[in-house]
Amino acid sequence: MSRLVALLSVALAFLFLPPTAEAQRDWRSSVTRTKAGDYVIGNPGAKVALTEYISFTCPACRNFVEQSSPALRGDLVKRGVVRVEIRNMTLNGLDMAAAMLARCAGPTGFIPMHDLIYTNQSALIDRAGRIRPAFLAGSPTEQAKVFAAQSGLSDLAKSRGMTDASIDQCLSNQAELDRLSAATQAAMPRVHGTPGFEINGQVAHDVHNWAALRPLLAAAGAK
């Protein structure tokens, strides 16, 4: 009888333990795609919703990703305090090819491809700058394929598991290219420069780096 009582006591103790499982969840693994094709990382119920407007060929965007990632994704998103929606600003042909390939990587592959592009940004831009204009005389989708092949983007995509066939299919998607172009044009009147940000739907005016953004997130409740 005493052993049974002891076992019941242990079981009851577990029932009244504080619910830590939710707090310990790593929300970085929660990645969903919106109807517009953008990716959202983090807790859907997060108190703070951050929207990033970024260009893959923007050095300031690369600096933001490098400087913010440890605290933003590595802590605030991980704990479920902030969710981040990444909206690609396609400012040139290389940007367009990079955004299309990153988005084609899907929910599990988007962030790794996103980070890989920024890590290799300088080399990609350098190689893209050497493309002969004659090679860019085709349609927008054909131009995207040229940028991907000759800048090294295709090699990065292959290192993440894409094939020549899947890369060609991705970059042939005129509807996706048009959607990215339209989204960029729609964002420009309110987001003046990249990176640009919205916090809970409100534009963070004249904020273009992590040092300026972090206190605004904290003021919104991201602590």
Side-chain angles (χ1 to χ4, degrees):
M1 178 63 73
S2 60
R3 183 179 179 184
L4 178 61
V5 171
L7 288 173
L8 286 172
S9 298
V10 171
L12 287 171
F14 275 108
L15 285 176
F16 290 99
L17 283 174
T20 59
E22 189 73 9
Q24 293 174 351
R25 175 172 177 174
D26 186 343
W27 282 100
R28 291 175 297 182
S29 63
S30 175
V31 182
T32 58
R33 192 169 187 180
T34 69
K35 290 182 179 179
D38 303 306
Y39 284 94
V40 181
I41 301 94
N43 179 4
K47 183 175 183 179
V48 179
L50 172 67
T51 303
E52 299 176 5
Y53 294 86
I54 57 175
S55 154
F56 279 124
T57 59
C58 157
C61 297
R62 182 195 64 219
N63 291 340
F64 168 75
V65 170
E66 291 175 350
Q67 293 167 8
S68 69
S69 287
L72 181 55
R73 275 196 258 146
D75 178 39
L76 297 174
V77 173
K78 180 180 180 180
R79 290 191 288 115
V81 178
V82 176
R83 74 176 182 271
V84 176
E85 180 174 341
I86 297 176
R87 297 185 182 178
N88 296 111
M89 300 285 280
T90 51
L91 308 179
N92 50 62
L94 179 60
D95 245 339
M96 179 62 73
M100 291 178 77
L101 286 173
R103 285 155 70 110
C104 282
T108 59
F110 176 76
I111 287 298
M113 187 63 182
H114 166 282
D115 290 351
L116 189 59
I117 292 170
Y118 277 117
T119 298
N120 292 274
Q121 184 191 73
S122 296
L124 293 170
I125 291 173
D126 181 63
R127 291 178 65 177
R130 291 187 238 147
I131 298 174
R132 296 179 183 178
F135 288 114
L136 299 172
S139 67
T141 55
E142 290 303 315
Q143 291 177 32
K145 293 175 187 179
V146 172
F147 274 112
Q150 298 198 24
S151 70
L153 269 172
S154 293
D155 292 333
L156 295 184
K158 289 176 187 177
S159 76
R160 293 298 312 164
M162 295 186 74
T163 64
D164 287 326
S166 62
I167 290 170
D168 184 77
Q169 182 181 26
C170 174
L171 297 175
S172 297
N173 190 337
Q174 182 67 49
E176 180 72 356
L177 189 151
D178 291 342
R179 182 159 61 171
L180 280 162
S181 296
T184 295
Q185 293 301 314
M188 281 183 172
R190 66 180 187 279
V191 181
H192 304 140
T194 54
F197 309 98
E198 290 178 354
I199 300 173
N200 292 334
Q202 300 298 313
V203 175
H205 294 287
D206 300 318
V207 174
H208 303 290
N209 56 61
W210 176 236
L213 178 65
R214 185 167 190 172
L216 297 184
L217 293 176
K223 299 175 182 177

